[in-house]
Amino acid sequence: MSSLKKSDKKAVLDFSAWSFNITTSVGIIMVNKALMATHGFSFATTLTGLHFVTTTLMTVVFRWLGLSQPSQLPLPDLIKFVIFSNLSIVGMNVSLMWNSVGFYQIAKLCMIPASCLLEVVFDHVHYSRDTKLSIMVVLIGVAVCTVTDVSVNAKGLIAAVIAVWSTAFQQYYVHFLQRKYSLNSFNLLGHTAPAQAGSLLLVGPFVDFLLTGKRVDHFNFSSLALFFLTLSCFIAIGVNLSQFICIGRFSAVSFQVLGHMKTVLVLSLGFLFFGKEGLNLQVVLGMILAVLGMMWYGNASAKPGGKERRSVLPVRSEKHKGDSEEKIGAEK
């Protein structure tokens, strides 16, 4: 009976973590769309730097309140994580600029097989046939409803490759560092967010100028643009925290596969709020196929042998393991 209660509790916490991530991720996409498309704030890299500033402030407040325990992360690991993360952010922005939207979407889909390969190589994870097939169904479904025009050039291909692999390594590293150093999501964010905020605010304006030809310090803020910028920064706290929680609880592959629910929701909300242009039978069928694939993946990977780790990474210590995420329903 106690084991049943424990499994029920884990299911509730898992659902809460996914709901937290999906809600904040979809919310920030809609807010950023209004900020960039409607109010003209097109400085995506600088905006991400501001997101990490507010996330840093959140970690400071939580530490002050005693909700996050002191922890350590070796400097070499921190540097590698920040390099992967910043390359991912800049790479995705550059890839979107230099490639067609269709090829950009294909590159994003390639993150799932890349993440699978990292888990197989470094963690010796074995996937069952049903799990592999369910991932393929998700990829096909998302491709059907998002990929339209596809054109590629040499520099765009290089940017896409950098974006895919840096993102895959960043998300793998989130899970790896939490296991290796017994860090919860608050601890890991407390180490990484300040470094990312400082580095992105340093290089962000130059990257944005390269991509847009505009200077962020010349942008004229209206009251509404400032409102959406502030709202975006606050929602980003939830996005960054929920990403670390979900990857820590599951894996980078599960985060990528089930995370495409956000793609389906964003498409649906876009058609609902911004007009039905582009909505057709192909898009609807693609969304349905993607959702069915996600449901299949969740069922297949949860079965015995569906997704097995053949080796266990030794954990350094449990003494730094905080209990703050238990309070918000996000820790095992």
Side-chain angles (χ1 to χ4, degrees):
M1 188 69 178
S2 61
S3 61
L4 179 62
K5 290 182 179 179
K6 186 175 181 180
S7 63
D8 289 345
K9 181 180 178 182
K10 183 182 183 303
V12 171
L13 297 181
D14 288 348
F15 178 78
S16 300
W18 277 119
S19 299
F20 185 28
N21 180 254
I22 289 174
T23 302
T24 54
S25 298
V26 172
I28 202 170
I29 289 172
M30 305 307 287
V31 169
N32 286 351
K33 186 170 183 178
L35 175 64
M36 295 181 174
T38 305
H39 298 283
F41 189 86
S42 55
F43 311 101
T45 310
T46 303
L47 178 62
T48 307
L50 294 173
H51 288 168
F52 281 107
V53 169
T54 53
T55 302
T56 299
L57 293 176
M58 180 273 295
T59 62
V60 171
V61 170
F62 271 70
R63 191 176 295 121
W64 178 68
L65 292 174
L67 298 175
S68 179
Q69 303 302 318
S71 60
Q72 291 185 343
L73 178 64
L75 184 61
D77 284 320
L78 175 61
I79 292 174
K80 283 187 284 188
F81 180 88
V82 171
I83 289 174
F84 289 141
S85 298
N86 290 357
L87 276 177
S88 169
I89 293 163
V90 174
M92 293 304 294
N93 290 337
V94 174
S95 175
L96 181 58
M97 177 189 176
W98 286 348
N99 294 310
S100 66
V101 175
F103 186 78
Y104 172 79
Q105 292 292 347
I106 290 175
K108 287 180 67 177
L109 292 176
C110 289
M111 292 176 190
I112 293 180
S115 296
C116 288
L117 182 60
L118 292 181
E119 288 192 354
V120 169
V121 172
F122 293 116
D123 291 345
H124 306 288
V125 170
H126 174 265
Y127 297 94
S128 69
R129 181 179 63 87
D130 281 358
T131 303
K132 294 174 185 175
L133 289 175
S134 67
I135 292 175
M136 288 184 61
V137 170
V138 173
L139 291 174
I140 293 171
V142 175
V144 167
C145 64
T146 61
V147 176
T148 52
D149 60 310
V150 179
S151 60
V152 64
N153 54 72
K155 63 180 184 180
L157 178 61
I158 293 172
V161 170
I162 292 174
V164 167
W165 282 105
S166 58
T167 302
F169 271 107
Q170 183 262 345
Q171 294 185 354
Y172 172 83
Y173 227 48
V174 169
H175 195 68
F176 172 83
L177 293 177
Q178 289 192 47
R179 287 185 293 124
K180 183 176 182 180
Y181 297 110
S182 297
L183 298 171
N184 61 32
S185 302
F186 291 107
N187 295 144
L188 188 56
L189 270 178
H191 291 293
T192 60
Q196 285 191 260
S199 55
L200 286 173
L201 287 181
L202 186 64
V203 303
F206 299 100
V207 173
D208 290 333
F209 180 76
L210 173 67
L211 296 177
T212 66
K214 301 175 184 177
R215 290 176 51 173
V216 65
D217 57 319
H218 288 177
F219 183 77
N220 292 318
F221 280 98
S222 64
S223 56
L224 272 178
L226 190 59
F227 167 76
F228 280 114
L229 176 64
T230 304
L231 182 60
S232 176
C233 288
F234 275 103
I235 297 176
I237 296 174
V239 174
N240 291 328
L241 178 59
S242 63
Q243 182 195 48
F244 280 28
I245 290 172
C246 287
I247 296 177
R249 290 189 67 83
F250 310 104
S251 69
V253 173
S254 294
F255 181 75
Q256 283 283 345
V257 173
L258 300 180
H260 278 297
M261 177 62 73
K262 293 175 283 190
T263 304
V264 174
L265 286 175
V266 168
L267 283 172
S268 302
L269 290 174
F271 293 136
L272 181 63
F273 292 111
F274 299 101
K276 294 181 172 55
E277 182 180 354
L279 179 61
N280 53 47
L281 182 60
Q282 174 184 324
V283 172
V284 173
L285 290 177
M287 290 192 290
I288 293 174
L289 187 62
V291 172
L292 291 176
M294 292 173 213
M295 294 170 62
W296 187 11
Y297 173 83
N299 182 60
S301 61
K303 289 181 178 179
K307 182 181 178 182
E308 292 181 330
R309 192 182 303 275
R310 297 288 175 86
S311 65
V312 179
L313 181 71
V315 177
R316 187 186 66 177
S317 170
E318 289 293 324
K319 67 179 179 179
H320 298 306
K321 193 88 167 179
D323 61 350
S324 54
E325 292 172 44
E326 182 72 28
K327 298 177 182 178
I328 66 167
E331 192 75 1
K332 288 182 180 177

